[in-house]
Amino acid sequence: LSWNVDMKKTYTRPLDIRHGRIDMGHGAGGKAAAQLIEELFLPALDNAYLRQGDDGAALPLPVLPEGPGQLVMATDGHVVSPIFFPGGDLGCLAVHGTVNDVAMMGAKPLYLSASFIIEEGYPLADLQRIVQSMGAAAREAGVPVVTGDTKVVEQGKGDGVFISTTGVGVLPPGVSISGRNARPGDVVLVSGSIGDHGVAVLSQRESLAFETTIESDTAALHTLVAAMLAAAPGAVRVLRDPTRGGLATTLNEVARQSGVGMLLQEAAIPVKPQVDAACELLGLDPLYVANEGKLIAIVAPEAAEAALAALRAHPLGADAARIGEVTTDPHHFVQMDTRFGGRRVVDWLSGEQLPRIC
């Protein structure tokens, strides 16, 4: 049942959030589904667009002072395990992940939609916690969830809760940011320490549980992007958020898309000691570990310092660093000068290093 449908109360007892669980009736489109939406989803995500009462949302077209822009749309699925982890949960992750996908195009995120697939038997208290976190993250980002849908699958046919989100934003005229735009001589920047999210999630897995003070870096990055674009207008060539596959895989994607190579400096890449220690314990390379609140920017060399200063002036970019440069390379290799004076190829991630991480 769509969240936008105008529902009249046809039930007398409120949901038992504390002890109740999802059953197949909550996905059947009848009274139970209507009650779940009205008492659990709508209070957490309430906004004028959801209150329109239609099977969808009618949204105003954005008006930009620079003139007509372009619409940007991005979609993502979120299957993280465990659902709750240090520094975040599935709900805020679903908002941040899609807001960031829109922002990496240089666009201003405007609206989100969300689709929940919930396993029969899932505790209502945990579902409410997820949805409330999603609502709080959307309000903090200023990007409302304007429409949504809920489905229930039989017990054993899912794994708790999966969320798919779609984001819509507006790209100002004259802004062109793409993985195709990197050029030899450009500078590679990262907005902060890498690997925090992946290590935070892994620390809570039953088979791997270990003590760490690391929390997920999950965050909406659109205000950080806006600050950098204002400081270096026309000079930001590429923006990416290095989620699954981490920094290494993301840079390999850009190198292939742009037809260039890259040379990184290992000593310049920020990694927290706790992340480094956890990766050594688990046999992982921080370069391949997922992030949810960091970005990579490839910037024209003449504007690199201005862009870096803008990142460092923002709370989400305080630990930003210049980590390498774009090179001419017909093989499109990403290479790295190591701390020990050698050089190695930083290849694509092979296989699934960290399943269900975001």
Side-chain angles (χ1 to χ4, degrees):
L1 187 66
S2 170
W3 301 345
N4 297 78
V5 175
D6 188 14
M7 296 168 293
K8 308 299 181 184
K9 287 188 178 181
T10 55
Y11 40 85
T12 56
R13 288 187 295 180
L15 285 174
D16 182 2
I17 297 290
R18 185 174 178 183
H19 301 103
R21 291 180 177 272
I22 288 290
D23 60 42
M24 294 305 295
H26 288 121
K31 291 182 181 180
Q35 185 174 14
L36 179 71
I37 293 167
E38 185 166 318
E39 294 188 11
L40 192 150
F41 282 95
L42 295 186
L45 301 171
D46 185 47
N47 60 73
Y49 303 110
L50 280 177
R51 291 195 300 269
Q52 288 174 357
D54 299 311
D55 195 8
L59 306 170
L61 292 172
V63 178
L64 299 175
E66 305 95 324
Q70 293 178 286
L71 288 178
V72 169
M73 178 181 289
T75 192
D76 203 356
H78 308 274
V79 297
V80 67
S81 177
I83 285 174
F84 304 100
F85 47 83
D89 54 63
L90 180 64
C92 67
L93 187 70
V95 170
H96 295 156
T98 301
V99 165
N100 292 346
D101 284 347
V102 173
M104 293 308 112
M105 297 288 292
K108 177 184 178 182
L110 298 174
Y111 311 111
L112 295 169
S113 72
S115 174
F116 279 68
I117 297 177
I118 312 167
E119 185 179 18
E120 179 186 16
Y122 195 73
L124 288 176
D126 286 350
L127 180 61
Q128 183 185 59
R129 182 179 168 190
I130 293 167
V131 178
Q132 287 178 341
S133 175
M134 172 178 269
R139 286 188 293 274
E140 184 177 359
V143 186
V145 179
V146 300
T147 189
D149 190 61
T150 307
K151 296 292 188 296
V152 177
V153 297
E154 296 90 343
Q155 195 160 28
K157 298 292 182 64
D159 188 8
V161 181
F162 299 154
I163 305 177
S164 293
T165 44
T166 296
V168 175
V170 61
L171 183 69
V175 175
S176 176
I177 294 175
S178 168
R180 301 184 302 271
N181 292 348
R183 304 173 189 172
D186 286 349
V187 173
V188 182
L189 308 176
V190 67
S191 65
S193 59
I194 62 169
D196 296 6
H197 173 73
V199 167
V201 171
L202 286 175
S203 73
Q204 300 301 299
R205 292 206 173 152
E206 292 182 8
S207 58
L208 293 175
F210 56 90
E211 291 187 8
T212 181
T213 58
I214 289 294
E215 294 188 348
S216 170
D217 58 355
T218 182
L221 299 173
H222 56 306
T223 58
L224 180 63
V225 170
M228 184 170 49
L229 294 181
V236 179
R237 318 264 206 219
V238 182
L239 289 171
R240 288 289 174 87
D241 54 336
T243 54
R244 283 170 296 180
L247 179 72
T249 299
T250 302
L251 289 179
N252 272 281
E253 291 173 352
V254 174
R256 184 176 69 173
Q257 194 175 357
S258 289
V260 297
M262 296 190 194
L263 180 60
L264 309 180
Q265 302 299 321
E266 184 178 22
I269 299 173
V271 182
K272 291 177 180 174
Q274 303 98 310
V275 170
D276 214 12
C279 286
E280 186 173 353
L281 174 69
L282 299 171
L284 302 175
D285 186 335
L287 294 175
Y288 296 93
V289 177
N291 311 271
E292 286 292 342
K294 301 298 188 303
L295 64 79
I296 298 165
I298 297 180
V299 184
E302 65 272 13
E305 289 306 314
L308 183 58
L311 289 175
R312 289 175 172 170
H314 192 284
L316 294 175
D319 296 323
R322 177 174 178 157
I323 63 169
E325 64 180 22
V326 179
T327 63
T328 300
D329 184 345
H331 302 292
H332 316 321
F333 286 156
V334 176
Q335 301 183 69
M336 184 169 70
D337 286 339
T338 70
R339 291 187 179 89
F340 305 106
R343 180 173 292 183
R344 72 176 179 94
V345 173
V346 179
D347 208 348
W348 292 76
L349 175 64
S350 178
E352 180 69 88
Q353 185 186 38
L354 302 172
R356 302 286 303 280
I357 208 74
C358 54

